[in-house]
Amino acid sequence: MATMADVARSAGVSVATVSHVLNGTRPVSPGTRRAVLDAVDVLGYTPNTLARSLVTARTRSIGLAVSAISNPYFTEILQGVETAALEAGYGLLLADPHDDPLQERKVAQLLHERRVDGMIVAPSAQPGELVGYLGRHAVPTVFLDRLIDPPGSGDGTATAAATGAPFFDQVCAESTGPTARLVAHLGGLGHRRVGLIAGLAGLSTTRERVTGYLDGLAAAGLAHDDRLLVSGNSESAGAERATTTLLALPDPPTALVTANNAMTLGALRALRRHGRSVPDDIALCCFDDFPWADLFSPRLTAIAQPSRELGARAVRLLLERLAEPDRPSRTVRLPCAFVHRTSCGCPEEPGRPEAAAHPASAALSEIPPEPPSEKGTTS
Protein backbone atom coordinates (compact mmCIF):
# COMPACT_ATOMS: atom_id res chain seq x y z
CA MET A 1 0.00 0.00 0.00
CA ALA A 2 1.37 3.38 -1.00
CA THR A 3 2.21 5.84 1.75
CA MET A 4 2.21 9.64 1.90
CA ALA A 5 6.02 9.50 1.70
CA ASP A 6 5.74 7.54 -1.57
CA VAL A 7 3.44 10.24 -2.96
CA ALA A 8 5.86 12.97 -1.86
CA ARG A 9 8.83 11.25 -3.59
CA SER A 10 6.84 10.69 -6.79
CA ALA A 11 5.67 14.32 -6.91
CA GLY A 12 9.04 15.73 -5.88
CA VAL A 13 7.64 17.58 -2.85
CA SER A 14 7.73 17.26 0.92
CA VAL A 15 5.37 15.10 2.94
CA ALA A 16 4.03 18.30 4.52
CA THR A 17 3.08 19.62 1.08
CA VAL A 18 1.22 16.40 0.28
CA SER A 19 -0.64 16.80 3.56
CA HIS A 20 -1.59 20.38 2.75
CA VAL A 21 -2.92 19.37 -0.67
CA LEU A 22 -4.98 16.45 0.63
CA ASN A 23 -6.32 18.22 3.72
CA GLY A 24 -6.66 21.73 2.34
CA THR A 25 -4.78 23.17 5.29
CA ARG A 26 -2.63 25.64 3.34
CA PRO A 27 -2.67 27.16 -0.16
CA VAL A 28 -0.50 25.28 -2.68
CA SER A 29 0.39 26.39 -6.20
CA PRO A 30 -1.75 24.85 -8.97
CA GLY A 31 1.24 23.09 -10.51
CA THR A 32 2.31 21.51 -7.25
CA ARG A 33 -1.25 20.54 -6.42
CA ARG A 34 -1.63 18.86 -9.82
CA ALA A 35 1.66 16.95 -9.37
CA VAL A 36 0.54 15.64 -5.98
CA LEU A 37 -2.91 14.58 -7.21
CA ASP A 38 -1.35 12.86 -10.25
CA ALA A 39 0.99 10.94 -7.95
CA VAL A 40 -1.96 9.95 -5.76
CA ASP A 41 -3.77 8.57 -8.82
CA VAL A 42 -0.75 6.72 -10.21
CA LEU A 43 0.20 5.13 -6.88
CA GLY A 44 -3.36 4.45 -5.81
CA TYR A 45 -2.75 6.18 -2.50
CA THR A 46 -5.66 6.11 -0.02
CA PRO A 47 -5.46 8.41 3.02
CA ASN A 48 -5.65 6.69 6.39
CA THR A 49 -8.67 8.52 7.78
CA LEU A 50 -8.37 6.81 11.16
CA ALA A 51 -4.80 7.97 11.62
CA ARG A 52 -5.69 11.44 10.41
CA SER A 53 -8.58 11.70 12.87
CA LEU A 54 -6.24 10.81 15.75
CA VAL A 55 -3.98 13.70 14.78
CA THR A 56 -6.62 16.30 13.89
CA ALA A 57 -9.40 15.21 16.32
CA ARG A 58 -11.71 15.32 13.32
CA THR A 59 -13.35 12.34 11.58
CA ARG A 60 -14.69 14.31 8.58
CA SER A 61 -18.09 12.80 9.23
CA ILE A 62 -21.51 14.36 9.87
CA GLY A 63 -24.37 12.83 11.82
CA LEU A 64 -27.80 13.29 10.24
CA ALA A 65 -30.89 12.59 12.36
CA VAL A 66 -34.11 12.93 10.35
CA SER A 67 -37.43 11.17 10.95
CA ALA A 68 -39.60 9.69 8.19
CA ILE A 69 -36.75 9.36 5.71
CA SER A 70 -39.14 7.46 3.44
CA ASN A 71 -41.10 10.70 2.99
CA PRO A 72 -40.21 12.20 -0.42
CA TYR A 73 -39.66 15.61 1.20
CA PHE A 74 -37.03 14.31 3.61
CA THR A 75 -35.58 12.03 0.95
CA GLU A 76 -34.80 15.09 -1.17
CA ILE A 77 -33.35 16.87 1.86
CA LEU A 78 -31.13 13.83 2.42
CA GLN A 79 -29.93 14.01 -1.18
CA GLY A 80 -29.02 17.67 -0.68
CA VAL A 81 -27.12 16.88 2.52
CA GLU A 82 -25.30 13.95 0.98
CA THR A 83 -24.23 15.82 -2.16
CA ALA A 84 -22.93 18.84 -0.24
CA ALA A 85 -21.16 16.67 2.34
CA LEU A 86 -19.41 14.53 -0.27
CA GLU A 87 -18.31 17.63 -2.19
CA ALA A 88 -16.68 18.88 1.01
CA GLY A 89 -15.04 15.50 1.68
CA TYR A 90 -17.36 14.44 4.52
CA GLY A 91 -19.16 11.17 5.05
CA LEU A 92 -22.63 10.74 6.58
CA LEU A 93 -23.94 8.66 9.46
CA LEU A 94 -27.74 8.51 9.17
CA ALA A 95 -30.29 7.76 11.90
CA ASP A 96 -34.09 7.96 12.14
CA PRO A 97 -35.35 9.13 15.58
CA HIS A 98 -38.99 8.45 14.57
CA ASP A 99 -40.07 11.83 16.00
CA ASP A 100 -39.68 10.37 19.49
CA PRO A 101 -38.09 12.79 22.03
CA LEU A 102 -36.38 9.97 23.95
CA GLN A 103 -35.25 8.21 20.80
CA GLU A 104 -33.75 11.39 19.33
CA ARG A 105 -31.76 11.92 22.53
CA LYS A 106 -30.38 8.36 22.22
CA VAL A 107 -29.64 8.90 18.54
CA ALA A 108 -27.70 12.08 19.33
CA GLN A 109 -25.62 10.22 21.91
CA LEU A 110 -24.97 7.34 19.50
CA LEU A 111 -23.78 9.69 16.75
CA HIS A 112 -21.69 11.64 19.23
CA GLU A 113 -20.02 8.44 20.43
CA ARG A 114 -19.11 7.73 16.80
CA ARG A 115 -17.13 10.99 16.98
CA VAL A 116 -18.96 12.82 14.21
CA ASP A 117 -17.62 16.36 13.76
CA GLY A 118 -21.13 17.82 13.98
CA MET A 119 -24.80 17.00 13.55
CA ILE A 120 -27.74 18.03 11.40
CA VAL A 121 -31.02 17.30 13.16
CA ALA A 122 -34.72 17.72 12.38
CA PRO A 123 -35.93 18.01 16.00
CA SER A 124 -39.12 16.54 17.41
CA ALA A 125 -41.96 18.53 18.95
CA GLN A 126 -40.32 18.17 22.39
CA PRO A 127 -36.58 18.68 21.84
CA GLY A 128 -35.60 19.58 25.40
CA GLU A 129 -33.65 16.35 26.11
CA LEU A 130 -31.94 16.54 22.73
CA VAL A 131 -30.92 20.18 23.06
CA GLY A 132 -29.74 19.58 26.62
CA TYR A 133 -27.45 16.75 25.53
CA LEU A 134 -26.03 18.68 22.59
CA GLY A 135 -25.47 21.69 24.79
CA ARG A 136 -23.73 19.83 27.60
CA HIS A 137 -21.35 18.19 25.15
CA ALA A 138 -20.88 21.29 22.96
CA VAL A 139 -21.77 19.40 19.79
CA PRO A 140 -21.81 21.69 16.74
CA THR A 141 -25.36 21.30 15.42
CA VAL A 142 -27.65 22.65 12.72
CA PHE A 143 -31.38 22.25 13.27
CA LEU A 144 -33.06 21.50 9.97
CA ASP A 145 -36.64 22.14 8.76
CA ARG A 146 -38.04 22.58 12.28
CA LEU A 147 -36.75 25.37 14.48
CA ILE A 148 -36.20 25.25 18.21
CA ASP A 149 -37.46 28.14 20.28
CA PRO A 150 -34.96 30.50 21.91
CA PRO A 151 -33.98 29.83 25.52
CA GLY A 152 -36.60 30.89 28.04
CA SER A 153 -39.51 30.14 25.71
CA GLY A 154 -40.84 27.45 28.01
CA ASP A 155 -40.33 24.44 25.71
CA GLY A 156 -37.54 22.90 27.77
CA THR A 157 -34.63 24.33 25.76
CA ALA A 158 -33.83 26.94 28.40
CA THR A 159 -32.01 24.26 30.41
CA ALA A 160 -29.57 23.85 27.53
CA ALA A 161 -28.60 27.52 27.69
CA ALA A 162 -28.15 27.26 31.45
CA THR A 163 -25.58 24.50 30.97
CA GLY A 164 -23.47 26.56 28.61
CA ALA A 165 -24.86 25.31 25.30
CA PRO A 166 -23.01 26.39 22.17
CA PHE A 167 -24.77 28.45 19.59
CA PHE A 168 -26.92 26.33 17.31
CA ASP A 169 -27.57 27.25 13.70
CA GLN A 170 -30.91 26.61 12.01
CA VAL A 171 -32.25 26.40 8.47
CA CYS A 172 -35.83 26.02 7.27
CA ALA A 173 -38.23 27.08 4.55
CA GLU A 174 -40.72 29.89 4.96
CA SER A 175 -44.09 28.58 6.14
CA THR A 176 -46.32 31.44 7.23
CA GLY A 177 -46.48 33.51 4.05
CA PRO A 178 -46.83 30.56 1.65
CA THR A 179 -49.70 29.07 3.69
CA ALA A 180 -51.44 32.44 3.74
CA ARG A 181 -51.06 32.56 -0.02
CA LEU A 182 -52.92 29.27 -0.45
CA VAL A 183 -55.77 30.34 1.82
CA ALA A 184 -56.14 33.78 0.26
CA HIS A 185 -56.11 32.20 -3.20
CA LEU A 186 -59.00 29.92 -2.24
CA GLY A 187 -60.84 32.89 -0.74
CA GLY A 188 -60.35 34.77 -3.96
CA LEU A 189 -62.02 31.93 -5.83
CA GLY A 190 -65.17 32.50 -3.78
CA HIS A 191 -64.74 29.98 -0.96
CA ARG A 192 -66.09 31.26 2.37
CA ARG A 193 -65.31 28.16 4.44
CA VAL A 194 -61.69 27.07 4.10
CA GLY A 195 -60.41 24.31 6.37
CA LEU A 196 -56.86 23.51 7.47
CA ILE A 197 -55.49 20.09 8.38
CA ALA A 198 -52.57 21.10 10.57
CA GLY A 199 -49.49 19.14 11.58
CA LEU A 200 -48.22 17.74 14.85
CA ALA A 201 -48.64 20.11 17.79
CA GLY A 202 -45.37 21.54 19.09
CA LEU A 203 -43.51 21.68 15.76
CA SER A 204 -42.44 25.12 14.55
CA THR A 205 -43.73 24.25 11.09
CA THR A 206 -47.17 23.54 12.53
CA ARG A 207 -47.28 26.82 14.45
CA GLU A 208 -46.19 28.84 11.45
CA ARG A 209 -48.62 27.21 9.04
CA VAL A 210 -51.51 27.75 11.45
CA THR A 211 -50.47 31.41 11.69
CA GLY A 212 -50.35 31.55 7.89
CA TYR A 213 -53.83 30.03 7.71
CA LEU A 214 -55.21 32.74 10.00
CA ASP A 215 -53.35 35.45 8.07
CA GLY A 216 -54.78 34.13 4.80
CA LEU A 217 -58.33 34.17 6.17
CA ALA A 218 -57.86 37.78 7.26
CA ALA A 219 -56.37 38.78 3.91
CA ALA A 220 -59.36 37.26 2.10
CA GLY A 221 -61.86 38.86 4.51
CA LEU A 222 -63.02 35.50 5.87
CA ALA A 223 -64.16 34.79 9.42
CA HIS A 224 -62.30 32.16 11.41
CA ASP A 225 -64.29 29.14 12.56
CA ASP A 226 -62.43 27.02 15.13
CA ARG A 227 -64.14 23.90 13.83
CA LEU A 228 -62.38 24.26 10.47
CA LEU A 229 -58.91 24.00 12.03
CA VAL A 230 -58.14 20.36 12.82
CA SER A 231 -54.96 18.39 13.46
CA GLY A 232 -53.76 15.57 11.24
CA ASN A 233 -50.65 14.98 13.41
CA SER A 234 -48.44 15.29 10.32
CA GLU A 235 -49.40 11.78 9.15
CA SER A 236 -51.64 10.26 6.53
CA ALA A 237 -53.90 8.32 8.91
CA GLY A 238 -54.37 11.37 11.12
CA ALA A 239 -55.32 13.50 8.14
CA GLU A 240 -57.81 10.90 6.98
CA ARG A 241 -59.54 11.06 10.34
CA ALA A 242 -59.40 14.86 10.40
CA THR A 243 -60.92 15.12 6.94
CA THR A 244 -63.75 12.83 7.96
CA THR A 245 -64.40 15.09 10.95
CA LEU A 246 -64.58 18.15 8.71
CA LEU A 247 -66.94 16.48 6.26
CA ALA A 248 -69.30 15.56 9.11
CA LEU A 249 -69.86 19.21 10.09
CA PRO A 250 -73.34 20.65 9.45
CA ASP A 251 -71.64 23.22 7.21
CA PRO A 252 -68.45 21.51 6.00
CA PRO A 253 -65.65 23.39 4.25
CA THR A 254 -65.82 23.91 0.51
CA ALA A 255 -62.02 24.16 0.33
CA LEU A 256 -59.21 22.47 2.20
CA VAL A 257 -55.53 23.15 2.83
CA THR A 258 -53.30 20.29 3.99
CA ALA A 259 -50.10 21.19 5.83
CA ASN A 260 -47.76 18.51 4.47
CA ASN A 261 -47.61 15.88 1.73
CA ALA A 262 -48.39 12.89 3.96
CA MET A 263 -51.57 14.58 5.14
CA THR A 264 -52.50 15.42 1.55
CA LEU A 265 -52.60 11.70 0.77
CA GLY A 266 -54.72 11.02 3.84
CA ALA A 267 -57.15 13.77 2.93
CA LEU A 268 -57.50 12.48 -0.63
CA ARG A 269 -58.15 8.99 0.69
CA ALA A 270 -60.93 10.28 2.97
CA LEU A 271 -62.49 12.39 0.24
CA ARG A 272 -62.62 9.43 -2.11
CA ARG A 273 -64.09 7.21 0.61
CA HIS A 274 -66.85 9.75 1.21
CA GLY A 275 -67.56 10.21 -2.48
CA ARG A 276 -66.29 13.81 -2.68
CA SER A 277 -64.74 14.97 -5.93
CA VAL A 278 -61.83 17.43 -6.14
CA PRO A 279 -62.33 20.24 -7.06
CA ASP A 280 -66.04 19.91 -7.97
CA ASP A 281 -67.20 19.11 -4.43
CA ILE A 282 -64.26 20.50 -2.50
CA ALA A 283 -61.17 22.42 -3.58
CA LEU A 284 -57.78 21.25 -2.31
CA CYS A 285 -54.40 22.95 -1.90
CA CYS A 286 -51.41 21.44 -0.15
CA PHE A 287 -48.19 22.47 1.52
CA ASP A 288 -45.37 20.35 0.04
CA ASP A 289 -45.09 19.47 -3.59
CA PHE A 290 -43.94 15.98 -4.49
CA PRO A 291 -42.86 14.26 -7.70
CA TRP A 292 -46.24 12.76 -8.56
CA ALA A 293 -48.40 15.78 -7.57
CA ASP A 294 -48.54 16.71 -11.24
CA LEU A 295 -49.88 13.23 -12.11
CA PHE A 296 -53.02 13.37 -9.95
CA SER A 297 -56.31 14.21 -11.60
CA PRO A 298 -56.86 17.02 -10.92
CA ARG A 299 -53.27 18.18 -10.66
CA LEU A 300 -52.46 19.40 -7.16
CA THR A 301 -51.96 23.09 -6.44
CA ALA A 302 -49.13 23.15 -3.92
CA ILE A 303 -46.39 25.01 -2.10
CA ALA A 304 -43.03 23.58 -3.16
CA GLN A 305 -40.22 23.72 -0.62
CA PRO A 306 -36.56 23.94 -1.75
CA SER A 307 -35.80 20.54 -0.22
CA ARG A 308 -32.36 19.85 -1.67
CA GLU A 309 -31.18 23.39 -1.07
CA LEU A 310 -32.29 23.10 2.57
CA GLY A 311 -30.07 20.04 2.96
CA ALA A 312 -27.12 21.66 1.20
CA ARG A 313 -27.46 24.87 3.20
CA ALA A 314 -27.49 22.89 6.44
CA VAL A 315 -24.15 21.32 5.51
CA ARG A 316 -22.65 24.69 4.65
CA LEU A 317 -23.82 26.18 7.95
CA LEU A 318 -22.29 23.26 9.85
CA LEU A 319 -18.96 23.54 8.04
CA GLU A 320 -18.88 27.27 8.76
CA ARG A 321 -19.57 26.53 12.42
CA LEU A 322 -16.71 24.01 12.50
CA ALA A 323 -14.38 26.59 10.96
CA GLU A 324 -15.52 29.38 13.31
CA PRO A 325 -16.86 27.81 16.52
CA ASP A 326 -17.43 31.15 18.27
CA ARG A 327 -19.25 33.07 15.57
CA PRO A 328 -22.84 34.24 16.25
CA SER A 329 -25.57 31.75 15.44
CA ARG A 330 -27.70 32.10 12.34
CA THR A 331 -31.21 31.15 11.33
CA VAL A 332 -31.56 30.88 7.56
CA ARG A 333 -34.97 30.82 5.87
CA LEU A 334 -35.42 29.90 2.23
CA PRO A 335 -38.40 30.93 0.06
CA CYS A 336 -40.98 28.49 -1.29
CA ALA A 337 -42.71 28.43 -4.68
CA PHE A 338 -46.46 28.57 -5.33
CA VAL A 339 -47.19 25.84 -7.90
CA HIS A 340 -50.52 26.68 -9.49
CA ARG A 341 -52.36 23.67 -10.91
CA THR A 342 -56.05 22.69 -10.98
CA SER A 343 -57.08 21.04 -7.66
CA CYS A 344 -57.93 24.53 -6.37
CA GLY A 345 -60.66 24.75 -9.00
CA CYS A 346 -58.85 26.89 -11.52
CA PRO A 347 -59.06 25.84 -15.18
CA GLU A 348 -56.09 24.39 -16.98
CA GLU A 349 -54.34 27.36 -18.59
CA PRO A 350 -50.72 26.64 -19.52
CA GLY A 351 -48.43 29.59 -18.95
CA ARG A 352 -50.85 31.49 -16.71
CA PRO A 353 -49.06 33.44 -13.94
CA GLU A 354 -49.74 32.07 -10.50
CA ALA A 355 -52.89 33.40 -8.82
CA ALA A 356 -53.51 35.83 -11.68
CA ALA A 357 -56.96 37.08 -12.71
CA HIS A 358 -58.58 36.28 -9.37
CA PRO A 359 -59.87 38.64 -6.64
CA ALA A 360 -57.33 37.04 -4.31
CA SER A 361 -54.61 38.99 -6.09
CA ALA A 362 -55.47 42.13 -4.14
CA ALA A 363 -55.45 40.26 -0.85
CA LEU A 364 -52.20 38.55 -1.74
CA SER A 365 -50.55 41.92 -2.14
CA GLU A 366 -50.76 42.17 1.64
CA ILE A 367 -48.69 38.97 1.92
CA PRO A 368 -45.52 39.71 -0.07
CA PRO A 369 -43.27 36.85 -1.15
CA GLU A 370 -40.54 36.31 1.41
CA PRO A 371 -36.95 36.45 0.13
CA PRO A 372 -34.19 34.30 1.58
CA SER A 373 -33.29 35.63 5.02
CA GLU A 374 -30.42 35.09 7.38
CA LYS A 375 -30.46 36.48 10.88
CA GLY A 376 -28.73 36.05 14.20
CA THR A 377 -30.39 34.14 17.00
CA THR A 378 -29.66 33.18 20.58
CA SER A 379 -30.71 29.54 20.30
Side-chain angles (χ1 to χ4, degrees):
M1 181 178 292
T3 66
M4 191 177 289
D6 295 331
V7 173
R9 281 192 296 272
S10 177
V13 299
S14 68
V15 171
T17 298
V18 174
S19 177
H20 290 314
V21 170
L22 297 180
N23 296 316
T25 50
R26 195 184 71 186
V28 176
S29 70
T32 300
R33 176 180 174 80
R34 184 70 266 161
V36 169
L37 294 179
D38 286 345
V40 167
D41 288 341
V42 170
L43 297 174
Y45 171 71
T46 302
N48 186 329
T49 55
L50 179 59
R52 182 170 61 187
S53 68
L54 292 174
V55 173
T56 64
R58 292 281 181 88
T59 61
R60 297 193 72 82
S61 62
I62 294 171
L64 176 64
V66 176
S67 296
I69 56 177
S70 60
N71 185 313
Y73 169 65
F74 282 115
T75 299
E76 290 199 359
I77 284 181
L78 171 58
Q79 291 172 347
V81 170
E82 182 180 40
T83 299
L86 289 176
E87 286 177 353
Y90 279 75
L92 279 184
L93 293 179
L94 176 64
D96 185 343
H98 301 287
D99 272 334
D100 182 325
L102 294 179
Q103 182 72 6
E104 72 179 353
R105 156 67 173 74
K106 293 177 182 178
V107 162
Q109 180 175 348
L110 179 64
L111 292 172
H112 185 221
E113 289 173 352
R114 297 300 187 275
R115 296 296 185 265
V116 295
D117 293 339
M119 296 188 202
I120 297 173
V121 182
S124 72
Q126 297 175 301
E129 287 286 330
L130 167 71
V131 176
Y133 180 88
L134 296 172
R136 287 191 300 274
H137 295 278
V139 181
T141 302
V142 174
F143 291 110
L144 171 67
D145 182 62
R146 305 155 174 181
L147 306 183
I148 61 168
D149 290 330
S153 63
D155 71 340
T157 60
T159 55
T163 58
F167 287 114
F168 296 127
D169 298 300
Q170 310 193 90
V171 59
C172 67
E174 294 287 358
S175 283
T176 304
T179 305
R181 189 178 186 89
L182 290 178
V183 176
H185 175 61
L186 291 168
L189 294 174
H191 294 281
R192 311 326 301 162
R193 293 183 61 75
V194 180
L196 174 71
I197 300 181
L200 184 67
L203 295 178
S204 65
T205 48
T206 297
R207 291 193 298 271
E208 292 180 0
R209 290 168 198 176
V210 169
T211 298
Y213 169 70
L214 298 175
D215 289 349
L217 291 177
L222 302 179
H224 169 53
D225 183 341
D226 287 337
R227 298 174 300 170
L228 296 182
L229 174 54
V230 293
S231 175
N233 291 321
S234 297
E235 61 181 13
S236 178
E240 189 170 357
R241 291 190 295 269
T243 303
T244 298
T245 297
L246 289 173
L247 295 178
L249 292 173
D251 45 356
T254 61
L256 189 60
V257 174
T258 52
N260 76 7
N261 57 10
M263 292 190 292
T264 299
L265 297 177
L268 286 169
R269 190 176 296 114
L271 292 172
R272 182 179 62 183
R273 180 158 50 86
H274 289 278
R276 305 298 174 88
S277 172
V278 177
D280 296 335
D281 298 322
I282 185 169
L284 178 66
C285 291
C286 50
F287 203 105
D288 279 344
D289 200 18
F290 41 95
W292 54 88
D294 196 40
L295 302 178
F296 281 90
S297 180
R299 299 161 62 236
L300 296 178
T301 294
I303 294 297
Q305 299 192 73
S307 309
R308 295 195 185 196
E309 177 55 25
L310 284 170
R313 185 66 65 92
V315 172
R316 292 199 292 272
L317 281 173
L318 183 57
L319 296 182
E320 290 166 10
R321 168 65 57 198
L322 293 174
E324 300 179 68
D326 298 324
R327 66 164 174 74
S329 65
R330 282 180 286 179
T331 293
V332 177
R333 287 183 174 272
L334 301 181
C336 296
F338 179 86
V339 185
H340 195 178
R341 300 189 181 107
T342 57
S343 65
C344 55
C346 293
E348 189 78 59
E349 296 179 22
R352 175 191 55 201
E354 54 187 79
H358 293 299
S361 297
L364 288 171
S365 66
E366 301 175 23
I367 311 169
E370 295 150 305
S373 63
E374 191 167 312
K375 58 185 179 181
T377 66
T378 54
S379 302

